[in-house]
PDB file of all heavy atoms in Angstrom:
ATOM      1  N   ILE A 908       0.808  -1.222  -0.028  1.00 88.00           N
ATOM      2  CA  ILE A 908       0.057  -0.026   0.030  1.00 88.00           C
ATOM      3  C   ILE A 908       0.843   1.244  -0.007  1.00 88.00           C
ATOM      4  O   ILE A 908       0.582   2.206  -0.670  1.00 88.00           O
ATOM      5  CB  ILE A 908      -0.964  -0.033   1.230  1.00 88.00           C
ATOM      6  CG1 ILE A 908      -1.928   1.230   1.128  1.00 88.00           C
ATOM      7  CG2 ILE A 908      -0.234  -0.053   2.559  1.00 88.00           C
ATOM      8  CD1 ILE A 908      -2.779   1.241   0.010  1.00 88.00           C
ATOM      9  N   THR A 909       1.988   1.269   0.719  1.00 89.00           N
ATOM     10  CA  THR A 909       2.782   2.418   0.811  1.00 89.00           C
ATOM     11  C   THR A 909       3.420   2.720  -0.579  1.00 89.00           C
ATOM     12  O   THR A 909       3.523   3.879  -0.974  1.00 89.00           O
ATOM     13  CB  THR A 909       3.922   2.351   1.805  1.00 89.00           C
ATOM     14  OG1 THR A 909       4.540   1.053   1.684  1.00 89.00           O
ATOM     15  CG2 THR A 909       3.376   2.347   3.280  1.00 89.00           C
ATOM     16  N   THR A 910       3.874   1.665  -1.201  1.00 91.00           N
ATOM     17  CA  THR A 910       4.397   1.757  -2.552  1.00 91.00           C
ATOM     18  C   THR A 910       3.434   2.351  -3.551  1.00 91.00           C
ATOM     19  O   THR A 910       3.741   3.268  -4.331  1.00 91.00           O
ATOM     20  CB  THR A 910       4.956   0.480  -3.108  1.00 91.00           C
ATOM     21  OG1 THR A 910       5.818  -0.146  -2.203  1.00 91.00           O
ATOM     22  CG2 THR A 910       5.548   0.628  -4.488  1.00 91.00           C
ATOM     23  N   LEU A 911       2.198   1.803  -3.462  1.00 90.00           N
ATOM     24  CA  LEU A 911       1.130   2.229  -4.337  1.00 90.00           C
ATOM     25  C   LEU A 911       0.825   3.742  -4.150  1.00 90.00           C
ATOM     26  O   LEU A 911       0.734   4.526  -5.098  1.00 90.00           O
ATOM     27  CB  LEU A 911      -0.156   1.519  -4.173  1.00 90.00           C
ATOM     28  CG  LEU A 911      -1.352   1.935  -5.009  1.00 90.00           C
ATOM     29  CD1 LEU A 911      -1.061   1.807  -6.454  1.00 90.00           C
ATOM     30  CD2 LEU A 911      -2.583   1.053  -4.632  1.00 90.00           C
ATOM     31  N   ILE A 912       0.812   4.232  -2.859  1.00 88.00           N
ATOM     32  CA  ILE A 912       0.455   5.628  -2.521  1.00 88.00           C
ATOM     33  C   ILE A 912       1.528   6.503  -3.088  1.00 88.00           C
ATOM     34  O   ILE A 912       1.311   7.612  -3.670  1.00 88.00           O
ATOM     35  CB  ILE A 912       0.260   5.814  -1.079  1.00 88.00           C
ATOM     36  CG1 ILE A 912      -1.026   5.097  -0.628  1.00 88.00           C
ATOM     37  CG2 ILE A 912       0.268   7.265  -0.720  1.00 88.00           C
ATOM     38  CD1 ILE A 912      -1.361   5.148   0.942  1.00 88.00           C
ATOM     39  N   VAL A 913       2.804   6.091  -2.868  1.00 90.00           N
ATOM     40  CA  VAL A 913       3.831   6.971  -3.434  1.00 90.00           C
ATOM     41  C   VAL A 913       3.845   7.144  -4.920  1.00 90.00           C
ATOM     42  O   VAL A 913       4.026   8.233  -5.481  1.00 90.00           O
ATOM     43  CB  VAL A 913       5.351   6.371  -3.030  1.00 90.00           C
ATOM     44  CG1 VAL A 913       6.437   6.969  -3.786  1.00 90.00           C
ATOM     45  CG2 VAL A 913       5.528   6.403  -1.451  1.00 90.00           C
ATOM     46  N   PHE A 914       3.566   6.022  -5.603  1.00 91.00           N
ATOM     47  CA  PHE A 914       3.392   6.089  -7.151  1.00 91.00           C
ATOM     48  C   PHE A 914       2.196   6.931  -7.511  1.00 91.00           C
ATOM     49  O   PHE A 914       2.316   7.770  -8.435  1.00 91.00           O
ATOM     50  CB  PHE A 914       3.225   4.673  -7.652  1.00 91.00           C
ATOM     51  CG  PHE A 914       4.457   3.818  -7.769  1.00 91.00           C
ATOM     52  CD1 PHE A 914       4.418   2.520  -7.749  1.00 91.00           C
ATOM     53  CD2 PHE A 914       5.722   4.488  -7.879  1.00 91.00           C
ATOM     54  CE1 PHE A 914       5.491   1.702  -7.734  1.00 91.00           C
ATOM     55  CE2 PHE A 914       6.905   3.624  -7.959  1.00 91.00           C
ATOM     56  CZ  PHE A 914       6.780   2.317  -7.939  1.00 91.00           C
ATOM     57  N   ILE A 915       1.090   6.779  -6.812  1.00 88.00           N
ATOM     58  CA  ILE A 915      -0.059   7.709  -7.139  1.00 88.00           C
ATOM     59  C   ILE A 915       0.244   9.178  -6.917  1.00 88.00           C
ATOM     60  O   ILE A 915      -0.116   9.959  -7.788  1.00 88.00           O
ATOM     61  CB  ILE A 915      -1.334   7.353  -6.174  1.00 88.00           C
ATOM     62  CG1 ILE A 915      -1.714   5.843  -6.525  1.00 88.00           C
ATOM     63  CG2 ILE A 915      -2.409   8.243  -6.311  1.00 88.00           C
ATOM     64  CD1 ILE A 915      -2.765   5.300  -5.561  1.00 88.00           C
ATOM     65  N   VAL A 916       0.974   9.475  -5.867  1.00 86.00           N
ATOM     66  CA  VAL A 916       1.224  10.907  -5.597  1.00 86.00           C
ATOM     67  C   VAL A 916       2.261  11.435  -6.628  1.00 86.00           C
ATOM     68  O   VAL A 916       2.128  12.674  -7.085  1.00 86.00           O
ATOM     69  CB  VAL A 916       1.875  11.061  -4.265  1.00 86.00           C
ATOM     70  CG1 VAL A 916       2.396  12.475  -3.904  1.00 86.00           C
ATOM     71  CG2 VAL A 916       0.835  10.745  -3.107  1.00 86.00           C
ATOM     72  N   CYS A 917       3.182  10.692  -7.085  1.00 89.00           N
ATOM     73  CA  CYS A 917       4.130  11.092  -8.175  1.00 89.00           C
ATOM     74  C   CYS A 917       3.325  11.403  -9.486  1.00 89.00           C
ATOM     75  O   CYS A 917       3.655  12.370 -10.084  1.00 89.00           O
ATOM     76  CB  CYS A 917       5.092   9.964  -8.414  1.00 89.00           C
ATOM     77  SG  CYS A 917       6.387   9.789  -7.118  1.00 89.00           S
ATOM     78  N   ILE A 918       2.456  10.461  -9.813  1.00 89.00           N
ATOM     79  CA  ILE A 918       1.669  10.721 -11.075  1.00 89.00           C
ATOM     80  C   ILE A 918       0.749  11.914 -10.963  1.00 89.00           C
ATOM     81  O   ILE A 918       0.676  12.744 -11.909  1.00 89.00           O
ATOM     82  CB  ILE A 918       0.804   9.389 -11.313  1.00 89.00           C
ATOM     83  CG1 ILE A 918       1.646   8.269 -11.744  1.00 89.00           C
ATOM     84  CG2 ILE A 918      -0.144   9.749 -12.391  1.00 89.00           C
ATOM     85  CD1 ILE A 918       0.991   6.988 -11.921  1.00 89.00           C
ATOM     86  N   SER A 919       0.221  12.145  -9.759  1.00 84.00           N
ATOM     87  CA  SER A 919      -0.719  13.326  -9.562  1.00 84.00           C
ATOM     88  C   SER A 919       0.178  14.502  -9.626  1.00 84.00           C
ATOM     89  O   SER A 919      -0.254  15.461 -10.293  1.00 84.00           O
ATOM     90  CB  SER A 919      -1.396  13.182  -8.213  1.00 84.00           C
ATOM     91  OG  SER A 919      -2.040  14.370  -7.948  1.00 84.00           O
ATOM     92  N   PHE A 920       1.241  14.500  -9.108  1.00 84.00           N
ATOM     93  CA  PHE A 920       2.092  15.822  -9.125  1.00 84.00           C
ATOM     94  C   PHE A 920       2.523  16.137 -10.489  1.00 84.00           C
ATOM     95  O   PHE A 920       2.523  17.325 -10.845  1.00 84.00           O
ATOM     96  CB  PHE A 920       3.360  15.480  -8.206  1.00 84.00           C
ATOM     97  CG  PHE A 920       4.376  16.659  -8.154  1.00 84.00           C
ATOM     98  CD1 PHE A 920       3.886  17.920  -7.758  1.00 84.00           C
ATOM     99  CD2 PHE A 920       5.653  16.472  -8.568  1.00 84.00           C
ATOM    100  CE1 PHE A 920       4.794  19.018  -7.681  1.00 84.00           C
ATOM    101  CE2 PHE A 920       6.530  17.616  -8.534  1.00 84.00           C
ATOM    102  CZ  PHE A 920       6.152  18.822  -8.052  1.00 84.00           C
ATOM    103  N   ILE A 921       2.911  15.165 -11.280  1.00 87.00           N
ATOM    104  CA  ILE A 921       3.243  15.481 -12.763  1.00 87.00           C
ATOM    105  C   ILE A 921       2.018  16.003 -13.475  1.00 87.00           C
ATOM    106  O   ILE A 921       2.219  16.973 -14.261  1.00 87.00           O
ATOM    107  CB  ILE A 921       3.839  14.086 -13.413  1.00 87.00           C
ATOM    108  CG1 ILE A 921       5.084  13.791 -12.752  1.00 87.00           C
ATOM    109  CG2 ILE A 921       4.037  14.395 -14.920  1.00 87.00           C
ATOM    110  CD1 ILE A 921       5.553  12.398 -13.272  1.00 87.00           C
ATOM    111  N   ASN A 922       0.891  15.399 -13.231  1.00 83.00           N
ATOM    112  CA  ASN A 922      -0.326  15.860 -13.829  1.00 83.00           C
ATOM    113  C   ASN A 922      -0.678  17.306 -13.575  1.00 83.00           C
ATOM    114  O   ASN A 922      -1.225  18.086 -14.412  1.00 83.00           O
ATOM    115  CB  ASN A 922      -1.515  14.987 -13.597  1.00 83.00           C
ATOM    116  CG  ASN A 922      -1.576  13.766 -14.459  1.00 83.00           C
ATOM    117  OD1 ASN A 922      -1.138  13.806 -15.622  1.00 83.00           O
ATOM    118  ND2 ASN A 922      -2.160  12.661 -13.896  1.00 83.00           N
ATOM    119  N   GLN A 923      -0.468  17.724 -12.326  1.00 79.00           N
ATOM    120  CA  GLN A 923      -0.708  19.055 -11.808  1.00 79.00           C
ATOM    121  C   GLN A 923       0.091  20.099 -12.533  1.00 79.00           C
ATOM    122  O   GLN A 923      -0.138  21.255 -12.690  1.00 79.00           O
ATOM    123  CB  GLN A 923      -0.410  19.170 -10.397  1.00 79.00           C
ATOM    124  CG  GLN A 923      -1.338  18.362  -9.535  1.00 79.00           C
ATOM    125  CD  GLN A 923      -2.755  18.649  -9.537  1.00 79.00           C
ATOM    126  OE1 GLN A 923      -3.202  19.770 -10.016  1.00 79.00           O
ATOM    127  NE2 GLN A 923      -3.640  17.771  -9.162  1.00 79.00           N
ATOM    128  N   ILE A 924       1.261  19.621 -13.089  1.00 82.00           N
ATOM    129  CA  ILE A 924       2.181  20.621 -13.816  1.00 82.00           C
ATOM    130  C   ILE A 924       1.862  20.609 -15.294  1.00 82.00           C
ATOM    131  O   ILE A 924       1.889  21.609 -15.892  1.00 82.00           O
ATOM    132  CB  ILE A 924       3.653  20.120 -13.602  1.00 82.00           C
ATOM    133  CG1 ILE A 924       4.037  20.112 -12.194  1.00 82.00           C
ATOM    134  CG2 ILE A 924       4.697  21.023 -14.460  1.00 82.00           C
ATOM    135  CD1 ILE A 924       5.463  19.502 -11.943  1.00 82.00           C
ATOM    136  N   VAL A 925       1.477  19.458 -15.798  1.00 84.00           N
ATOM    137  CA  VAL A 925       1.144  19.333 -17.265  1.00 84.00           C
ATOM    138  C   VAL A 925       0.115  20.082 -17.720  1.00 84.00           C
ATOM    139  O   VAL A 925       0.103  20.871 -18.765  1.00 84.00           O
ATOM    140  CB  VAL A 925       0.968  17.808 -17.624  1.00 84.00           C
ATOM    141  CG1 VAL A 925       0.498  17.683 -19.106  1.00 84.00           C
ATOM    142  CG2 VAL A 925       2.318  17.007 -17.507  1.00 84.00           C
ATOM    143  N   TYR A 926      -1.039  20.137 -17.001  1.00 77.00           N
ATOM    144  CA  TYR A 926      -2.327  20.821 -17.424  1.00 77.00           C
ATOM    145  C   TYR A 926      -2.108  22.312 -17.454  1.00 77.00           C
ATOM    146  O   TYR A 926      -2.477  22.918 -18.490  1.00 77.00           O
ATOM    147  CB  TYR A 926      -3.501  20.391 -16.492  1.00 77.00           C
ATOM    148  CG  TYR A 926      -4.796  20.991 -17.068  1.00 77.00           C
ATOM    149  CD1 TYR A 926      -5.248  20.717 -18.355  1.00 77.00           C
ATOM    150  CD2 TYR A 926      -5.517  21.861 -16.243  1.00 77.00           C
ATOM    151  CE1 TYR A 926      -6.500  21.255 -18.794  1.00 77.00           C
ATOM    152  CE2 TYR A 926      -6.650  22.403 -16.659  1.00 77.00           C
ATOM    153  CZ  TYR A 926      -7.172  22.166 -18.013  1.00 77.00           C
ATOM    154  OH  TYR A 926      -8.337  22.642 -18.473  1.00 77.00           O
ATOM    155  N   PRO A 927      -1.555  22.945 -16.537  1.00 77.00           N
ATOM    156  CA  PRO A 927      -1.286  24.389 -16.626  1.00 77.00           C
ATOM    157  C   PRO A 927      -0.370  24.755 -17.839  1.00 77.00           C
ATOM    158  O   PRO A 927      -0.475  25.833 -18.559  1.00 77.00           O
ATOM    159  CB  PRO A 927      -0.642  24.823 -15.275  1.00 77.00           C
ATOM    160  CG  PRO A 927      -1.144  23.779 -14.258  1.00 77.00           C
ATOM    161  CD  PRO A 927      -1.153  22.581 -15.168  1.00 77.00           C
ATOM    162  N   ILE A 928       0.560  23.881 -18.082  1.00 81.00           N
ATOM    163  CA  ILE A 928       1.546  24.108 -19.190  1.00 81.00           C
ATOM    164  C   ILE A 928       0.744  24.071 -20.460  1.00 81.00           C
ATOM    165  O   ILE A 928       0.960  24.892 -21.389  1.00 81.00           O
ATOM    166  CB  ILE A 928       2.585  23.022 -19.206  1.00 81.00           C
ATOM    167  CG1 ILE A 928       3.682  23.301 -18.167  1.00 81.00           C
ATOM    168  CG2 ILE A 928       3.298  22.976 -20.559  1.00 81.00           C
ATOM    169  CD1 ILE A 928       4.778  22.309 -18.086  1.00 81.00           C
ATOM    170  N   GLN A 929      -0.155  23.200 -20.599  1.00 80.00           N
ATOM    171  CA  GLN A 929      -0.949  23.076 -21.893  1.00 80.00           C
ATOM    172  C   GLN A 929      -1.876  24.296 -22.051  1.00 80.00           C
ATOM    173  O   GLN A 929      -2.014  24.872 -23.177  1.00 80.00           O
ATOM    174  CB  GLN A 929      -1.836  21.795 -21.861  1.00 80.00           C
ATOM    175  CG  GLN A 929      -0.953  20.480 -22.041  1.00 80.00           C
ATOM    176  CD  GLN A 929      -1.740  19.265 -21.847  1.00 80.00           C
ATOM    177  OE1 GLN A 929      -2.812  19.184 -21.268  1.00 80.00           O
ATOM    178  NE2 GLN A 929      -1.345  18.220 -22.505  1.00 80.00           N
ATOM    179  N   LEU A 930      -2.441  24.761 -20.983  1.00 77.00           N
ATOM    180  CA  LEU A 930      -3.282  25.972 -20.988  1.00 77.00           C
ATOM    181  C   LEU A 930      -2.498  27.135 -21.394  1.00 77.00           C
ATOM    182  O   LEU A 930      -2.908  28.151 -22.105  1.00 77.00           O
ATOM    183  CB  LEU A 930      -3.980  26.241 -19.759  1.00 77.00           C
ATOM    184  CG  LEU A 930      -5.141  25.287 -19.403  1.00 77.00           C
ATOM    185  CD1 LEU A 930      -5.811  25.640 -17.959  1.00 77.00           C
ATOM    186  CD2 LEU A 930      -6.296  25.151 -20.442  1.00 77.00           C
ATOM    187  N   THR A 931      -1.196  27.241 -20.825  1.00 79.00           N
ATOM    188  CA  THR A 931      -0.302  28.359 -21.142  1.00 79.00           C
ATOM    189  C   THR A 931       0.161  28.431 -22.592  1.00 79.00           C
ATOM    190  O   THR A 931       0.273  29.430 -23.186  1.00 79.00           O
ATOM    191  CB  THR A 931       0.938  28.228 -20.314  1.00 79.00           C
ATOM    192  OG1 THR A 931       0.594  28.236 -18.931  1.00 79.00           O
ATOM    193  CG2 THR A 931       1.888  29.368 -20.471  1.00 79.00           C
ATOM    194  N   LEU A 932       0.193  27.210 -23.204  1.00 83.00           N
ATOM    195  CA  LEU A 932       0.574  27.128 -24.554  1.00 83.00           C
ATOM    196  C   LEU A 932      -0.513  27.604 -25.589  1.00 83.00           C
ATOM    197  O   LEU A 932      -0.171  28.065 -26.679  1.00 83.00           O
ATOM    198  CB  LEU A 932       0.909  25.647 -24.957  1.00 83.00           C
ATOM    199  CG  LEU A 932       2.306  25.149 -24.465  1.00 83.00           C
ATOM    200  CD1 LEU A 932       2.399  23.664 -24.800  1.00 83.00           C
ATOM    201  CD2 LEU A 932       3.420  25.896 -24.881  1.00 83.00           C
ATOM    202  N   LEU A 933      -1.704  27.571 -25.123  1.00 84.00           N
ATOM    203  CA  LEU A 933      -2.932  27.948 -26.017  1.00 84.00           C
ATOM    204  C   LEU A 933      -2.745  29.357 -26.718  1.00 84.00           C
ATOM    205  O   LEU A 933      -2.793  29.532 -27.941  1.00 84.00           O
ATOM    206  CB  LEU A 933      -4.253  27.829 -25.435  1.00 84.00           C
ATOM    207  CG  LEU A 933      -4.634  26.434 -25.014  1.00 84.00           C
ATOM    208  CD1 LEU A 933      -6.142  26.473 -24.487  1.00 84.00           C
ATOM    209  CD2 LEU A 933      -4.627  25.546 -26.264  1.00 84.00           C
ATOM    210  N   PRO A 934      -2.408  30.397 -25.903  1.00 82.00           N
ATOM    211  CA  PRO A 934      -2.242  31.630 -26.606  1.00 82.00           C
ATOM    212  C   PRO A 934      -1.068  31.780 -27.472  1.00 82.00           C
ATOM    213  O   PRO A 934      -1.026  32.743 -28.362  1.00 82.00           O
ATOM    214  CB  PRO A 934      -2.018  32.690 -25.374  1.00 82.00           C
ATOM    215  CG  PRO A 934      -2.553  31.961 -24.166  1.00 82.00           C
ATOM    216  CD  PRO A 934      -2.265  30.476 -24.442  1.00 82.00           C
ATOM    217  N   LYS A 935      -0.212  30.917 -27.451  1.00 83.00           N
ATOM    218  CA  LYS A 935       0.993  30.848 -28.332  1.00 83.00           C
ATOM    219  C   LYS A 935       0.730  30.114 -29.585  1.00 83.00           C
ATOM    220  O   LYS A 935       1.535  30.279 -30.545  1.00 83.00           O
ATOM    221  CB  LYS A 935       2.160  30.139 -27.530  1.00 83.00           C
ATOM    222  CG  LYS A 935       2.673  30.891 -26.274  1.00 83.00           C
ATOM    223  CD  LYS A 935       3.781  30.186 -25.623  1.00 83.00           C
ATOM    224  CE  LYS A 935       4.217  30.777 -24.264  1.00 83.00           C
ATOM    225  NZ  LYS A 935       5.349  30.005 -23.524  1.00 83.00           N
ATOM    226  N   ILE A 936      -0.170  29.269 -29.645  1.00 84.00           N
ATOM    227  CA  ILE A 936      -0.404  28.439 -30.817  1.00 84.00           C
ATOM    228  C   ILE A 936      -1.775  28.749 -31.505  1.00 84.00           C
ATOM    229  O   ILE A 936      -1.983  28.218 -32.651  1.00 84.00           O
ATOM    230  CB  ILE A 936      -0.392  26.977 -30.470  1.00 84.00           C
ATOM    231  CG1 ILE A 936      -1.452  26.533 -29.480  1.00 84.00           C
ATOM    232  CG2 ILE A 936       0.981  26.539 -29.918  1.00 84.00           C
ATOM    233  CD1 ILE A 936      -1.470  25.084 -29.124  1.00 84.00           C
ATOM    234  N   VAL A 937      -2.627  29.496 -30.856  1.00 84.00           N
ATOM    235  CA  VAL A 937      -3.897  29.892 -31.622  1.00 84.00           C
ATOM    236  C   VAL A 937      -4.045  31.379 -31.644  1.00 84.00           C
ATOM    237  O   VAL A 937      -3.511  32.089 -30.711  1.00 84.00           O
ATOM    238  CB  VAL A 937      -5.080  29.253 -30.983  1.00 84.00           C
ATOM    239  CG1 VAL A 937      -5.032  27.716 -30.930  1.00 84.00           C
ATOM    240  CG2 VAL A 937      -5.376  29.784 -29.562  1.00 84.00           C
ATOM    241  N   LYS A 938      -4.750  31.886 -32.541  1.00 83.00           N
ATOM    242  CA  LYS A 938      -5.032  33.303 -32.625  1.00 83.00           C
ATOM    243  C   LYS A 938      -5.862  33.800 -31.476  1.00 83.00           C
ATOM    244  O   LYS A 938      -6.689  32.994 -30.997  1.00 83.00           O
ATOM    245  CB  LYS A 938      -5.761  33.742 -33.955  1.00 83.00           C
ATOM    246  CG  LYS A 938      -4.990  33.389 -35.241  1.00 83.00           C
ATOM    247  CD  LYS A 938      -5.720  33.597 -36.471  1.00 83.00           C
ATOM    248  CE  LYS A 938      -4.963  33.194 -37.715  1.00 83.00           C
ATOM    249  NZ  LYS A 938      -5.701  33.394 -39.002  1.00 83.00           N
ATOM    250  N   GLN A 939      -5.769  35.040 -31.040  1.00 79.00           N
ATOM    251  CA  GLN A 939      -6.560  35.444 -29.845  1.00 79.00           C
ATOM    252  C   GLN A 939      -7.994  35.339 -30.157  1.00 79.00           C
ATOM    253  O   GLN A 939      -8.825  35.016 -29.134  1.00 79.00           O
ATOM    254  CB  GLN A 939      -6.203  36.953 -29.599  1.00 79.00           C
ATOM    255  CG  GLN A 939      -6.676  37.472 -28.230  1.00 79.00           C
ATOM    256  CD  GLN A 939      -6.220  38.764 -27.922  1.00 79.00           C
ATOM    257  OE1 GLN A 939      -6.251  39.750 -28.729  1.00 79.00           O
ATOM    258  NE2 GLN A 939      -5.705  38.978 -26.711  1.00 79.00           N
ATOM    259  N   GLU A 940      -8.492  35.618 -31.421  1.00 78.00           N
ATOM    260  CA  GLU A 940      -9.932  35.478 -31.590  1.00 78.00           C
ATOM    261  C   GLU A 940     -10.500  34.015 -31.494  1.00 78.00           C
ATOM    262  O   GLU A 940     -11.708  33.823 -31.437  1.00 78.00           O
ATOM    263  CB  GLU A 940     -10.354  35.987 -32.959  1.00 78.00           C
ATOM    264  CG  GLU A 940      -9.622  35.500 -34.160  1.00 78.00           C
ATOM    265  CD  GLU A 940      -8.315  36.121 -34.480  1.00 78.00           C
ATOM    266  OE1 GLU A 940      -7.739  36.815 -33.635  1.00 78.00           O
ATOM    267  OE2 GLU A 940      -7.941  36.101 -35.684  1.00 78.00           O
ATOM    268  N   ASP A 941      -9.547  33.120 -31.475  1.00 81.00           N
ATOM    269  CA  ASP A 941      -9.913  31.635 -31.469  1.00 81.00           C
ATOM    270  C   ASP A 941      -9.764  31.038 -30.041  1.00 81.00           C
ATOM    271  O   ASP A 941     -10.056  29.828 -29.816  1.00 81.00           O
ATOM    272  CB  ASP A 941      -9.101  30.848 -32.434  1.00 81.00           C
ATOM    273  CG  ASP A 941      -9.492  31.086 -33.835  1.00 81.00           C
ATOM    274  OD1 ASP A 941     -10.643  31.539 -34.061  1.00 81.00           O
ATOM    275  OD2 ASP A 941      -8.622  30.949 -34.731  1.00 81.00           O
ATOM    276  N   LEU A 942      -9.431  31.956 -29.033  1.00 81.00           N
ATOM    277  CA  LEU A 942      -9.153  31.450 -27.723  1.00 81.00           C
ATOM    278  C   LEU A 942     -10.383  30.868 -26.999  1.00 81.00           C
ATOM    279  O   LEU A 942     -10.229  29.812 -26.245  1.00 81.00           O
ATOM    280  CB  LEU A 942      -8.497  32.476 -26.852  1.00 81.00           C
ATOM    281  CG  LEU A 942      -6.950  32.726 -26.958  1.00 81.00           C
ATOM    282  CD1 LEU A 942      -6.515  33.847 -26.112  1.00 81.00           C
ATOM    283  CD2 LEU A 942      -6.247  31.429 -26.470  1.00 81.00           C
TER     284      LEU A 942
END
């Protein structure tokens, strides 16, 4: 159980970084009128 929880937290932490990065990229890759 301890191993599983550590792995779950690691995956969650990475996901918390990835999603804001993707949102940050949107203004860089689409026109403002398409946001």
Side-chain angles (χ1 to χ4, degrees):
I908 184 62
T909 51
T910 305
L911 178 60
I912 290 175
V913 169
F914 283 153
I915 290 171
V916 171
C917 286
I918 290 174
S919 174
F920 180 57
I921 295 171
N922 276 333
Q923 298 296 344
I924 300 173
V925 169
Y926 185 59
I928 285 178
Q929 291 177 327
L930 290 179
T931 302
L932 287 176
L933 290 185
K935 299 178 182 179
I936 61 177
V937 302
K938 297 176 183 177
Q939 192 173 49
E940 59 266 27
D941 289 331
L942 273 176

